[in-house]
Amino acid sequence: MFFIQLKNLYKSYGSIKALNGLNLKVPKGALYGLLGPNGAGKSTALRIICTLLDPDSGDVEVAGHNALIEEKETRRRLGYVAQEVAIDKILTGRELLLLQGDLYHLNKNYKKARIEELIERLEMNEWIDRRCGSFSGGMKRRLDLASGLLHEPELLILDEPTVGLDIESRAVIWGLLKELKNNETTILLSSHYLEEVDELSDEIAIIDKGKVIASGKPDDLKKKLGGDRVTLRVREFSDELEAESVRKLIKNINGVSNVVVNKKQGYSLNFLVQSNDVISNLSECLAKENFDVFALSHSRPSLDDVYLQATGKTLMDAELELAGKRDLKLENKKSMR
Amino acid sequence: MIATNSSFSQGKQSRNDLNEIFQESFALTWRLFIQLIRRPSTLFAGILQPLIWLLLFAALFSKAPVDFLPGSSSYGEFLGAGLIVFTAFSGALNAGLPVMFDREFGFLNRLLVAPLSSRSSIVISSVIYITTISLLQSFAIMATSAFLGYGWPSLGGFFLITITLLLLVFAITGLSLGLAFVLPGHIELIAIIFIANLPVLFASTALAPISFMPEWLGLIASINPLTFAIEPIRMAYHNSVDLKLVLINAPYGEVNGYSCLAILFILTVGLFFLIRPLLNRKLA
C-alpha cells in the first residue's frame, strides 16, 4: 500500500520548471529519501504534499485522500519540518511547542506530557525555556522536529533536516529518525547529502530537473550499476577529443560497461568493471595505445554513481550548475502566501 | 520512546469546531501578546507619539481664538478627540505588520500546515490583538488629556467613544490585513503606512474644523472616515450624547451622529467583504 502517490506533477516559477512530470509512490511505513541537487524540485514537491503549494497540474494522494481537495484531512496526518526553520524568536522553545499543540487541538494534559517526552528524547532540557532567538541552527532544527512530531503524525516530512548542522544535532536527529522508522510512521525526507539518504532510507528516488530519474532501494540501485566504479584520468587536464578516444578504446574491453565522460572533472572517464582482472587488461590496453594513466581510482558504487550514471554528472557538479541558474528571490516570492 | 500515531486520537480534544476555533484563536492571540510584553516598545511608541502631538499642538495653538472652534473652550480640548482617533487609526494601520512578517519569515507556513479548524483564526487573533492595543493606546491618550484638564466624557460618552473606536479599528485593521496579503513585503507595507498616516490626519477634522478649510479640503475631510469617528467622540466630550445632533456640516449636507456610526459600520462591513476573497485565496 502506498501512503503517498504523486502523479504527473508540474509546477513552474515563471520560466523555471520546478517540477516536470514528477511521479512518486511512497510505501506506508517506509523512510523514503528524495535525493537530488538543490534546485532539482525536492522542496517544491514536499510543499505540494504539505498543501502549502498547488501544482500547475497533476494529482497528489496522501493516505488515500486527494491532498489538493481534502486539505484538512491531509494536514491532520502530517508533520512538516521545513528547510528554512520558521520559529518565533520571541517565544521560548516550550511556548512554541505549546502553541503548536493548540494549533493541532491537543488537550492540555496530553500536550504537556507529549512535550516533556519530546524534550527528553531530543535532548532539549537545558535550553528549551530560553527564547528561540538565541538558539543555534541545530537547536532550532531539533525544536522544529519536535513540533513536527508533537501530534504524532502518520507522515513526517523533512526537507533537508540536517543541512548545516553540528555533529551532535545530526546524531540526535538521525537517531530519532531510525527509531521512528521502526514504528509505523511514514517518513519522507529530502536531502542532497548522499550518506544521509544512503544511511537512513529504505527506498529512494533520485530527482533531477523536476522528475524522478531513478528509484528503488539504495542497494538495488547500486547493484543495478553492475560492478565497481572506476574513475580514470589519462592526464591531469584532458580534453574532449582525448577523452573520446579513450572512451572508444575502453568501452570495447571485456568487463567494462557504462563508460561516461565527466566534462566537469577535467574530462575524466567513469565506468564500471566486473572484476579486478579487468583493471589489469585496461592498463595494458592503454599502454598499448600510448595513453598514460595520471590517476585511477576504484571503489564500490555509491548513490553518487547512480546519479552520475543517469545524468552524466556528479551530484556536486549538478549543484554548482544549478546554483548559478536559480532565482531564489523569485522562487521565494512565488512560494510566499 | 517516541510514540507514533496510535495515540493521537487520545490526545485530541473532543471534536467540536467551536472549541477548536477558540483554542487556536486563543493560542495565536496569546502569542501576539507574549511578543508585546517582551517587546513593548511599539505599544509605548504608539502612545508617546500622539501624546507629543497633544502637548506640542495644543501649545502651538494655545492662543488661537477658541470662539471659532465648535463647542471647545481650548484648542487642546478640541484636539483631544482628533488624537484619540488618530491613535486608534495608527495602531490599526499597523495590524498587517505581524502578518506580513509571518509571511516573510515563513511562520505563516507553520500555521497553514496545521489542520486549523478555521483559517479565520489567524485573522481573528490579529483583530483581537490590534483592537486591544489600539483601545489601550487611545484610553491612555484620554487619560492624559483628562490630566491636562481637557475633560473626561460621561459614562454614555465613554460607551459611544468605545463603540466608535471599535468600528474604526475594525475597518482599518481589515484594510491593513488585506494589504499585508497583497503587498510583496514589509517595506512596501511600511511605505504605505507612512504615506497614509499624516495626510489622512490632516485631511480630517482632527486638527481643525471644516469651516477652517478651503472648499476642496473640506470636501475631502467630510468624506474621510476619521472625521466620522472624530465628531461623535468630540460630541461625547462636549455635550450629552445625542446622536440626532448634526455633527458635520459637509458640503454635501448635514451628517448627524447616527449617520456617522452607520457610515463607519458600512465601511467596516464593506472592507471585510472586500478582503474576504483575498484572505480565502491566500489562506486556502
Side-chain angles (χ1 to χ4, degrees):
Chain A
M1 184 195 161
F2 294 108
F3 200 80
I4 304 172
Q5 293 196 66
L6 308 182
K7 289 179 198 159
N8 280 322
L9 278 193
Y10 286 86
K11 178 72 187 175
S12 296
Y13 299 111
S15 61
I16 296 166
K17 282 184 181 170
L19 297 182
N20 194 18
L22 185 87
N23 289 292
L24 193 71
K25 287 180 176 176
V26 178
K28 186 171 170 34
L31 197 159
Y32 200 97
L34 294 183
L35 178 67
N38 282 323
K42 305 186 299 292
S43 295
T44 302
L46 296 187
R47 288 171 61 87
I48 289 173
I49 297 169
C50 291
T51 74
L52 279 175
L53 198 63
D54 285 333
D56 296 337
S57 64
D59 296 318
V60 183
E61 204 178 288
V62 176
H65 295 276
N66 183 338
L68 303 177
I69 298 168
E70 298 165 275
E71 292 171 317
K72 208 184 277 184
E73 283 305 317
T74 307
R75 287 176 198 134
R76 281 186 204 288
R77 287 172 165 76
L78 64 87
Y80 175 51
V81 181
Q83 188 173 0
E84 299 294 329
V85 182
I87 53 174
D88 190 323
K89 289 178 183 177
I90 305 296
L91 300 184
T92 66
R94 191 185 300 275
E95 286 166 346
L96 189 92
L97 292 175
L98 286 167
L99 170 68
Q100 186 84 5
D102 285 329
L103 298 180
Y104 283 82
H105 315 116
L106 305 180
N107 73 41
K108 201 175 166 186
N109 293 335
Y110 172 82
K111 183 174 65 182
K112 286 200 169 162
R114 178 72 176 154
I115 287 173
E116 287 306 325
E117 184 187 2
L118 286 162
I119 289 172
E120 196 66 36
R121 179 61 188 84
L122 283 156
E123 300 170 30
M124 303 189 292
N125 277 307
E126 277 182 31
W127 43 266
I128 195 68
D129 290 310
R130 278 164 37 194
R131 287 193 200 177
C132 298
S134 66
F135 291 174
S136 70
M139 291 151 93
K140 283 180 192 168
R141 186 64 66 159
R142 278 194 255 176
L143 177 64
D144 212 18
L145 184 56
S147 14
L149 285 169
L150 195 62
H151 61 292
E152 298 176 51
E154 292 170 63
L155 168 66
L156 180 65
I157 293 179
L158 303 127
D159 195 357
E160 305 276 3
T162 62
V163 70
L165 291 198
D166 55 279
I167 294 170
E168 187 202 338
S169 294
R170 192 159 114 153
V172 170
I173 291 175
W174 277 28
L176 179 62
L177 292 180
K178 283 177 186 172
E179 193 179 303
L180 286 168
K181 198 166 102 167
N182 295 328
N183 295 323
E184 286 185 358
T185 312
T186 306
I187 303 171
L188 181 59
L189 160 120
S190 87
S191 181
H192 61 284
Y193 290 154
L194 292 160
E195 71 275 20
E196 181 163 82
V197 175
D198 210 353
E199 165 88 16
L200 297 174
S201 307
D202 300 316
E203 284 189 41
I204 68 159
I206 297 179
I207 298 187
D208 187 58
K209 293 176 184 163
K211 58 181 165 186
V212 174
I213 53 168
S215 63
K217 294 182 175 164
D219 282 345
D220 290 349
L221 287 171
K222 286 184 271 185
K223 274 182 201 157
K224 262 190 204 168
L225 289 175
D228 290 356
R229 165 68 56 192
V230 175
T231 302
L232 166 71
R233 285 178 176 211
V234 290
R235 275 193 297 137
E236 188 173 9
F237 297 105
S238 194
D239 56 36
E240 193 170 3
L241 201 67
E242 187 176 46
E244 194 52 34
S245 309
V246 178
R247 192 185 71 81
K248 279 179 186 162
L249 175 71
I250 60 176
K251 76 171 187 181
N252 295 319
I253 296 172
N254 226 353
V256 171
S257 62
N258 302 65
V259 187
V260 175
V261 175
N262 191 337
K263 292 179 188 175
K264 297 276 180 189
Q265 292 187 353
Y267 289 97
S268 65
L269 287 116
N270 297 101
F271 50 92
L272 300 169
V273 292
Q274 301 285 354
S275 65
N276 286 344
D277 296 344
V278 182
I279 304 276
S280 316
N281 286 344
L282 173 77
S283 303
E284 282 170 24
C285 259
L286 288 169
K288 208 182 280 177
E289 295 295 323
N290 293 325
F291 286 116
D292 292 329
V293 174
F294 173 75
L296 187 129
S297 65
H298 176 198
S299 60
R300 304 292 303 163
S302 69
L303 286 178
D304 202 22
D305 296 319
V306 178
Y307 186 81
L308 177 71
Q309 199 60 56
T311 63
K313 57 197 168 200
T314 63
L315 199 59
M316 175 77 82
D317 290 331
E319 243 169 60
L320 291 173
E321 194 181 308
L322 280 167
K325 288 182 185 167
R326 292 182 80 183
D327 184 347
L328 289 173
K329 205 174 166 189
L330 177 76
E331 285 178 35
N332 282 341
K333 199 175 159 191
K334 291 274 178 186
S335 62
M336 204 168 95
R337 293 287 281 255
Chain B
M1 193 180 98
I2 297 294
T4 52
N5 36 70
S6 54
S7 57
F8 179 48
S9 53
Q10 296 165 21
K12 288 276 301 175
Q13 304 271 32
S14 58
R15 302 196 63 77
N16 175 329
D17 276 358
L18 260 180
N19 272 349
E20 289 188 352
I21 292 174
F22 178 77
Q23 188 180 10
E24 61 205 29
S25 301
F26 181 81
L28 290 170
T29 312
W30 170 80
R31 172 194 166 222
L32 293 170
F33 277 103
I34 287 185
Q35 286 181 340
L36 179 76
I37 291 163
R38 292 184 188 159
R39 240 179 358 192
S41 49
T42 46
L43 176 72
F44 293 127
I47 296 172
L48 206 60
Q49 190 200 23
L51 271 185
I52 294 170
W53 279 71
L54 187 64
L55 291 171
L56 293 184
F57 253 76
L60 189 65
F61 292 101
S62 57
K63 291 181 180 169
V66 290
D67 300 345
F68 295 105
L69 299 172
S72 302
S73 57
S74 72
Y75 185 72
E77 194 183 321
F78 177 83
L79 187 64
L83 287 184
I84 289 164
V85 170
F86 176 61
T87 309
F89 170 73
S90 301
L93 207 52
N94 288 323
L97 274 175
V99 173
M100 179 59 96
F101 286 127
D102 280 351
R103 277 183 73 204
E104 284 187 311
F105 295 122
F107 198 86
L108 186 66
N109 286 341
R110 181 184 290 278
L111 309 183
L112 296 181
V113 169
L116 298 180
S117 204
S118 168
R119 298 275 173 101
S120 307
S121 306
I122 298 169
V123 176
I124 292 170
S125 61
S126 289
V127 172
I128 294 173
Y129 171 73
I130 284 296
T131 305
T132 312
I133 298 301
S134 301
L135 287 183
L136 268 178
Q137 290 173 332
S138 297
F139 293 152
I141 301 298
M142 283 173 70
T144 314
S145 186
F147 180 74
L148 294 172
Y150 301 140
W152 182 260
S154 63
L155 192 64
F158 186 79
F159 183 69
L160 174 64
I161 291 172
T162 307
I163 295 289
T164 309
L165 290 178
L166 279 176
L167 286 173
L168 182 76
V169 167
F170 286 158
I172 304 303
T173 299
L175 179 71
S176 184
L177 288 175
L179 287 172
F181 281 107
V182 169
L183 297 173
H186 71 275
I187 301 288
E188 290 79 2
L189 183 59
I190 288 173
I192 289 189
I193 292 171
F194 268 124
I195 292 168
N197 225 348
L198 289 184
V200 173
L201 175 73
F202 289 136
S204 74
T205 57
L207 307 177
I210 288 178
S211 57
F212 277 30
M213 300 177 191
E215 203 174 323
W216 63 270
L217 187 58
L219 182 65
I220 295 173
S222 64
I223 55 170
N224 183 341
L226 254 60
T227 301
F228 297 117
I230 291 165
E231 293 308 324
I233 291 176
R234 198 162 274 153
M235 174 184 69
Y237 265 92
H238 299 153
N239 306 308
S240 58
V241 176
D242 183 0
L243 291 170
K244 284 182 210 144
L245 283 179
V246 172
L247 301 180
I248 305 168
N249 281 308
Y252 51 80
E254 295 176 334
V255 184
N256 65 18
Y258 281 120
S259 303
C260 285
L261 294 185
I263 289 166
L264 287 176
F265 180 75
I266 291 165
L267 183 75
T268 304
V269 175
L271 277 169
F272 270 92
F273 268 104
L274 195 71
I275 65 161
R276 215 176 102 176
L278 174 77
L279 294 179
N280 284 344
R281 186 156 49 83
K282 291 285 185 176
L283 299 177

